[in-house]
Structure formats: C-alpha cells, structure tokens
Amino acid sequence: MKFDPYRILGISPGADIEEIRRAFREKARRFHPDRGGQKELFLALKRSYEILQARHAPARLEIFKGRPQGDHYVLSFLDVTAREVAVGAAVTVVIPDKPVPCPHCGGSGQNPAGPKRRCLFCEGEGVIEFSGPERRLCIVCPRCGGKGEILVDICPKCRGKGELAGEKELELSLPLGARPGDILYLPPGAGGEVAVFFELQVHPSGCLNFEGERLVSRVLIPFWRFALREKVTVETLEGPEDLDLPADFQPGQSLVLSRRGPWRADGSREDLYVKIDVFFPSDFSPKARNKLKELAEFLEKEEKDASTG
Ligand SMILES: [Zn+2]
Ligand SMILES: [Zn+2]
C-alpha cells in the first residue's frame, strides 16, 4: 500500500496546517514508544507530519534592500527571537485585510450609547402619514428608521465610518540570513492585498543573541570555575551543551563553534560565538574569605619560590 500521510494521521487531504499539527500532537502523545506505543507506528506518524509540514510550508518573507517605494504599502514591526531568526522559523504575522463592519455601532457609524434627539422628520412619531383624497398612507420614517429619535454622536470606535480596518494572521517563514533591523518584505498577493514591510526587531532567546552580524551565546561563570577551567554549559541552537575551556583561555576571549550558528540561504551555516564572562562575587562569608586568603597566600608564596628558586 502507498504511504499515505493523511490516512496515517487520520485527516482529510484538505486539512490545513493547524489540523495537521493537532492530529500529529494527539496521535504522537497516544502512540509514543515511552508510553508503550509501537515504534514503527510512531515513526510513520513522525514521517507523515514532516511530509505534510513541508507540503504546507508557509511562504518565506524576503529581505528587502533599500527603502519602500510608492505609497501602496504598509510598514509594520515584527518581534522575533534570535533563535527564530537563526533557524528561519515560521512566525505569525498580522497584516491588513478588508474592512469589517464596526461591531460597536453595527455599521451605522453612530454611537449607540450616546445621546439621542427627537427626529424632526417624523416629529418623534416614527411614521409619516400622507393624507390622500381617498385614504391615508403611513410609511416608516426614512430618517430615523421608525425609532422616532436619532443618535447624535458618531461612533467612537470607528469614528463614524461604520467599519474598522480588518486584519488577519498569516504564518510565514523568516528568511535565512536576516539580521536585526533588516526590512522584510511580503509582496502584494502573497496573503495580503498590498505589500507589507516589516522591520525586524530581535530579542534575545535565553543566552543567545545577535551582536552585530554574529550570533553569540553568553555564559556567566564564577571566577573559581574559570580558574579551574571546568566544563561550562552553553546554550546552542541545538540545546544546552557542555564545553571544555582550553587551558590558555582568558576572560574576554570567545570560543568559536564552527558552522553551528545561523543557517544561510544556501543551507550552509555560520559560526556560533561563545563569550564567557567571569563573575566576581562582591561579598563572601567569613569562612570563605579566610579560605580564599589562605589560597592567595599559598599561591603568592608558590610564585615567589618559583621566581627566586
Ligand atoms: Zn462604529
Ligand atoms: Zn423619524
């Protein structure tokens, strides 16, 4: 039988990415090998999810060089983390959409909670009577719609327009190689009516952040661990990792994890820089202070002996 990812996940071929995700999460939880599920089935679920994820991959934003031209565009901000930028993650953006009727006034443009005045057209009756030669004719007042009164204030939510600017959410991938401050571009028709430009605002994710063009992982360790060159745990794009400090490593130097940094558009990777900052406590307990003094005296004596002897 042909490998059918939809059948394995138990969804219809018309399912969107949210349904696919939900189906995978549910089934993966239920059939996880850690919970006694069959490993083959779990792997088939995983593979199905990967296939469908790639098939439904959201459109990728582009890096825009230069300044937006013309006047038919929207400029917005996009807040993302350093990790999302480095891996070109999918992010949710909000873009303008067709206007929607104002829910506050129901599209009338008038403030339903504001003051009212008597309708002068029907003199508050709500109906207008015409007396003909044979019979009288009544019609609903076209000015007040039969209510006999008229709202005076314009709706504060839509400022009298009767509609609000619509917006919609889109899932898009960040372009590989983007850096903080870059302008990203969503062409018109790629989800929205007009072109949308986003200024990329990047926040640190844990200890990872961009410093200029480089992705840097910063670690803070106390001086005694630095002095002993003990292993340090650093955050990488692949999760926490224990690193050995080289014997001659000095404060202020960086370790370079080759090709472990952000992905480039061609699929290769940049380096990840690890900066190790040393922490000197400003206060010690009397006991720790004495031991530290002892150590200092010992080290100084050793140094003196070495230089004289
Ligand atoms: Zn309104
Ligand atoms: Zn009226």
Side-chain angles (χ1 to χ4, degrees), residues 119-124 126-127 141-150:
C119 175
L120 298 175
F121 210 70
C122 61
E123 292 175 328
V127 290
C141 172
R143 177 73 180 88
C144 63
K147 292 192 185 73
E149 47 188 16
I150 284 176

Side-chain angles (χ1 to χ4, degrees), residues 27-278:
K27 289 209 158 50
R29 211 176 303 134
R30 192 139 41 104
F31 297 109
H32 200 280
D34 290 355
R35 298 184 176 208
Q38 256 190 338
K39 200 175 168 206
E40 288 71 33
L41 177 59
F42 181 73
L43 290 178
L45 284 171
K46 233 180 121 181
R47 187 163 140 65
S48 302
Y49 182 52
E50 281 165 3
I51 289 171
L52 293 185
Q53 239 188 343
R55 211 175 278 176
H56 287 255
R60 215 171 261 287
L61 287 159
E62 296 164 24
I63 300 173
F64 187 79
K65 302 284 179 205
R67 298 181 70 81
Q69 300 280 323
D71 55 359
H72 210 51
Y73 66 84
V74 175
L75 187 61
S76 182
F77 289 102
L78 190 55
D79 283 310
V80 293
T81 66
R83 177 186 293 275
E84 287 172 324
V85 172
V87 305
V91 293
T92 303
V93 301
V94 178
I95 62 162
D97 198 17
K98 296 180 189 73
V100 290
C102 172
H104 187 64
C105 63
S108 72
Q110 265 136 4
N111 185 2
K116 295 167 181 161
R117 67 163 169 79
R118 201 164 70 103
C119 175
L120 298 175
F121 210 70
C122 61
E123 292 175 328
E125 297 296 320
V127 290
I128 296 171
E129 290 181 24
F130 297 96
S131 318
E134 275 147 45
R135 59 193 179 108
R136 278 148 50 87
L137 194 65
C138 269
I139 63 158
V140 174
C141 172
R143 177 73 180 88
C144 63
K147 292 192 185 73
E149 47 188 16
I150 284 176
L151 292 165
V152 179
D153 288 353
I154 61 165
C155 170
K157 290 275 180 327
C158 62
R159 303 196 172 277
K161 286 206 277 295
E163 55 183 31
L164 296 174
E167 50 182 39
K168 65 175 169 187
E169 288 188 348
L170 272 186
E171 201 180 1
L172 295 169
S173 295
L174 293 171
L176 294 169
R179 289 294 177 270
D182 274 356
I183 303 288
L184 305 185
Y185 174 62
L186 180 69
E193 314 265 297
V194 298
V196 187
F197 295 90
F198 297 96
E199 187 179 326
L200 198 57
Q201 295 191 320
V202 183
H203 305 279
S205 33
C207 306
L208 289 169
N209 202 11
F210 280 97
E211 296 183 14
E213 292 285 303
R214 293 174 167 183
L215 185 67
V216 176
S217 179
R218 280 193 179 264
V219 200
L220 184 64
I221 59 172
F223 72 89
W224 55 89
R225 288 189 45 208
F226 192 92
L228 294 169
R229 299 294 190 280
E230 283 184 346
K231 269 189 196 308
V232 290
T233 306
V234 304
E235 197 176 330
T236 73
L237 289 172
E238 284 76 28
E241 198 166 309
D242 290 336
L243 292 185
D244 284 310
L245 287 185
D248 58 351
F249 191 75
Q250 295 299 323
Q253 289 182 328
S254 294
L255 287 172
V256 182
L257 300 189
S258 177
R259 292 191 292 278
R260 294 285 305 279
W263 270 264
R264 297 191 190 98
D266 65 4
S268 65
R269 289 180 74 173
E270 291 171 35
D271 297 337
L272 176 67
Y273 294 82
V274 178
K275 282 196 180 161
I276 294 167
D277 296 314
V278 185

